[in-house]
Amino acid sequence: MPTVHQGPAAAGRSLRGRAAVVGAGRSAVGRVEGRSVMALASDAAKAALNDAGIERAAIDGVLTSAAFAAPFHRFSVAFSEYFGIQPTFSNTLQVSGATAATMFNIAAAAVASGLANNVLVLGADSLLTGLSPDLALRSMTESRDQQYEMPFGIPVANTFAMTAHRHMREFGTTSEQLAKVAVIHREHAMQTPEAQMKNAITVEDVLNSGWVTTPYHKLDCSLISDGAAAFVVTSADRARDSGGAPVYILGGGECYTHEHIFLMPSLTTTGAVESSDRAYAMAGVGPRDIDVAGVYDCFTGTVIMMLEDLGFCPKGEGGRFVDDRQITYGGSIPINTHGGLLSFAHPGMPGSLLHFLEVIEQLRGRCGDRQVQGAELGLVHSLGAGFATQATTILGTEATL
C-alpha cells in the first residue's frame, strides 16, 4: 500500500478522494480532415458521456481549455451552445500547457463544494488541419511578450531550448540522452494503434533529423495535431453508485513562477517541485508510490527536467535515469505509455488531456498490450509557457482511498 505522508494540504480542507472521473473519451487524433474544433470537441464529449453512462442533460458544469483554431473568448459557453446544454458552472481556462491538470483540480473543487454535480472537462483543437504550419506556430509564439521577448527572437520553443542548454551545461546532460527520450516515446506509440507516429526511430535518427533550435532537433520536438479529449468528473458518492470504473482525484497542486523567461528563478529547477509537493501532500503519497505517469513532453529535455522536479530521480540525474530506461516498462516509473506529445499527438492545450486519458485507462486496466501491471496510483503533470505554469494531479483507484 502507498506510504502516507503528512503535509499541510492533507488537513481538513483537502480534496483527497472527494471527486472521481467516471467517464473518459476522445476524438480521432493526428490528421483529422473535415472535422471542426467544435465537432472534435463534440466527438470527445459524446465518448466521455457514453463511458460514464449518463445523458448530456446531467452535465451542469463545463470546464474547457481555449482553442487556437476556434478562438472563442468563451469556449466553454460556445461549446455548451453547440452541444445543447445549459450549465450553471462554466469557465474557459488558459494557463498554456498546464491547463489540463488545472481543470481537473478545479473540477474536483467544484463538485466537492456543490458548485456542480457533474463537470465536463474538455479540450479540443485542430492545429494540423485547422491552421497552416506557420499559423500553428505563430498561435503559440505570439502569446509571448511582444515588448521584451519577441523582438529578441525568443518564441516559446526557444525558451525551452534555453533551459535545456543550461541543464546540459550544469549537469552534463547529453544530446544522446535527449534523443533517448524520443526513442522510448516512439516505442510506446508503436504499441498504440491510434498514435500519429508509429515508425521506429533510433538515437541516430533523432540526431540527424535537422535542427529546430539548438539543442533540439526535429524529433526532439512534439507533434502538431488535431484532436480532443473529454472527461466527466463527479462526487465520490455519485461515482460509487455509477456502476462504472471510477478513478479518484487524490491530490492536486499548482505553481506559477514567472511570465518572462528572464525572470525565471532558476533555469534548471521549476515550479513543478512546488506543484507536485502540494499534490503528494494532499494525496498522502510520495513519488516512489506512483505506478504510472503522464509527464508533459513538448520537448525531450522537458521530460528530463520534470523527472527530477517531480521527485522520480535526483536533480541532475534525469539524463542517466533515461539512459537506464527507467521511464518505460520494467523501469521505476513508466511514463507516457501511449507515446505522449512526441509520438501520440499534440493538439495544443488539449495535448496533456491525452496524458490524463492514458493514465486513467492504465488505472482501469484497459490498455491491453501496453498495460502497466498492477497500476493503482497515477500522476499527470502539465506545464507550459517556458516552464512558467505548472500543475500536478494525482489519481487513484478504489484501493488507494
Side-chain angles (χ1 to χ4, degrees), residues 6-16 252 277-283:
Q6 300 299 318
R13 294 181 293 109
S14 174
L15 293 172
R16 185 183 191 278
D277 279 352
R278 288 175 172 271
Y280 290 135
M282 185 182 293

Side-chain angles (χ1 to χ4, degrees), residues 7 24 30 92 193 241-242 259 270-271 289 308 358 365 395:
T92 301
D241 294 335
S242 68
E259 170 65 17
T270 73
D289 299 315
E308 299 167 355
E358 179 69 8
L395 304 162

Side-chain angles (χ1 to χ4, degrees), residues 110-401:
V111 300
S113 65
L115 285 172
N117 292 318
N118 300 299
V119 177
L120 183 68
V121 171
L122 171 70
D125 218 333
S126 55
L127 298 186
L128 186 56
T129 62
L131 297 172
S132 69
D134 285 345
L135 283 175
L137 292 174
R138 283 180 59 189
S139 66
M140 293 179 276
T141 295
E142 289 183 350
S143 65
R144 307 305 301 164
D145 181 86
Q146 299 297 305
Q147 182 176 1
Y148 296 112
E149 293 189 346
M150 285 302 295
F152 297 96
I154 312 179
V156 67
N158 292 40
T159 62
F160 284 103
M162 291 168 67
T163 62
H165 270 300
R166 179 61 66 87
H167 198 277
M168 296 170 84
R169 180 182 178 88
E170 288 190 14
F171 303 114
T173 307
T174 67
S175 293
E176 288 76 13
Q177 289 169 340
L178 300 182
K180 192 76 166 286
V181 174
V183 170
I184 291 173
H185 279 66
R186 187 60 60 86
E187 291 172 1
H188 293 172
M190 290 168 65
Q191 299 183 66
T192 310
E194 304 85 359
Q196 186 173 343
M197 301 299 294
K198 291 185 290 186
N199 57 308
I201 58 173
T202 65
V203 168
E204 290 72 25
D205 290 332
V206 178
L207 299 180
N208 292 327
S209 62
W211 292 111
V212 173
T213 175
T214 59
Y216 290 137
H217 303 85
K218 181 179 180 180
L219 291 177
D220 284 303
C221 305
S222 56
L223 303 172
I224 296 175
S225 315
D226 306 324
F231 308 83
V232 178
V233 178
T234 192
S235 72
D237 290 340
R238 282 186 291 272
R240 293 187 185 97
D241 294 335
S242 68
V247 171
Y248 296 88
I249 298 172
L250 302 180
E254 300 171 30
C255 187
Y256 305 94
T257 51
H258 61 282
E259 170 65 17
H260 301 94
I261 188 67
F262 61 86
L263 291 176
M264 186 175 178
S266 165
L267 288 178
T268 55
T269 299
T270 73
V273 174
E274 177 72 15
S275 70
S276 62
D277 279 352
R278 288 175 172 271
Y280 290 135
M282 185 182 293
V285 302
R288 292 188 179 182
D289 299 315
I290 303 300
D291 299 311
V292 61
V295 178
Y296 202 81
D297 55 315
C298 51
F299 299 94
T300 52
T302 305
V303 173
I304 287 175
M305 288 178 61
M306 290 302 97
L307 290 168
E308 299 167 355
D309 288 0
L310 296 171
F312 294 127
C313 66
K315 177 54 64 179
E317 293 294 321
R320 286 174 282 278
F321 194 75
V322 170
D323 254 346
D324 292 339
R325 295 185 64 83
Q326 295 298 323
I327 63 170
T328 189
Y329 301 90
S332 60
I333 181 64
I335 70 166
N336 304 343
T337 50
H338 60 317
L341 309 180
L342 288 164
S343 283
F344 181 77
H346 187 15
M349 278 185 281
S352 196
L353 288 177
L354 298 172
H355 289 113
F356 271 95
L357 182 62
E358 179 69 8
V359 169
I360 287 167
E361 293 301 271
Q362 286 283 356
L363 297 181
R364 289 170 151 185
R366 295 179 177 177
C367 288
D369 291 341
R370 66 178 191 279
Q371 180 65 43
V372 176
Q373 296 303 314
E376 294 183 350
L377 273 173
L379 175 149
V380 181
H381 183 76
S382 307
L383 64 91
F387 292 120
T389 64
Q390 308 277 348
T392 311
T393 304
I394 294 175
L395 304 162
T397 64
E398 185 86 33
T400 61
L401 289 177

